Amino acid sequence: TFFLTYFADRFSLLRSWRLTPRVSDKISAFSRKYFFTSALIGMAIVSSYYWAGYPYDNLCEEDFPAQHYYLGTHEITLG
């Protein structure tokens, strides 16, 4: 399989693959200016919907009072 891979890659490199076309830095400037800006704005909008709809922010019922043994000061000892 090593020789088959070697010859297939050698054929691809020397015969069928071509050089990439010459492009300027306009594509990267366009991407930075428009694509990433719109992606950041979209991410902020979607994140705000997720943050607003977080299901565990009101886990306890408000009209149910806490038990007396939950209230007060507590100490944690290790060991």
Side-chain angles (χ1 to χ4, degrees), residues 63-78:
D63 54 345
F64 183 72
Q67 299 294 329
H68 70 284
Y69 47 84
Y70 289 131
L71 303 174
T73 58
H74 301 280
E75 293 182 19
I76 297 176
T77 58
L78 300 175

Side-chain angles (χ1 to χ4, degrees), residues 6-78:
Y6 170 75
F7 285 112
D9 287 343
R10 189 175 116 187
F11 176 78
S12 295
L13 283 172
L14 297 177
R15 303 283 180 169
S16 61
W17 291 351
R18 296 188 179 125
L19 292 174
T20 58
R22 299 280 181 191
V23 292
S24 66
D25 60 344
K26 291 181 182 180
I27 293 175
S28 62
F30 178 82
S31 177
R32 276 194 315 267
K33 191 173 192 179
Y34 297 107
F35 175 73
F36 289 127
T37 304
S38 62
L40 185 66
I41 291 170
M43 184 196 69
I45 292 170
V46 170
S47 296
S48 68
Y49 278 109
Y50 282 136
W51 186 263
Y54 187 67
Y56 303 111
D57 58 350
N58 296 323
L59 190 60
C60 297
E61 298 284 334
E62 291 182 11
D63 54 345
F64 183 72
Q67 299 294 329
H68 70 284
Y69 47 84
Y70 289 131
L71 303 174
T73 58
H74 301 280
E75 293 182 19
I76 297 176
T77 58
L78 300 175

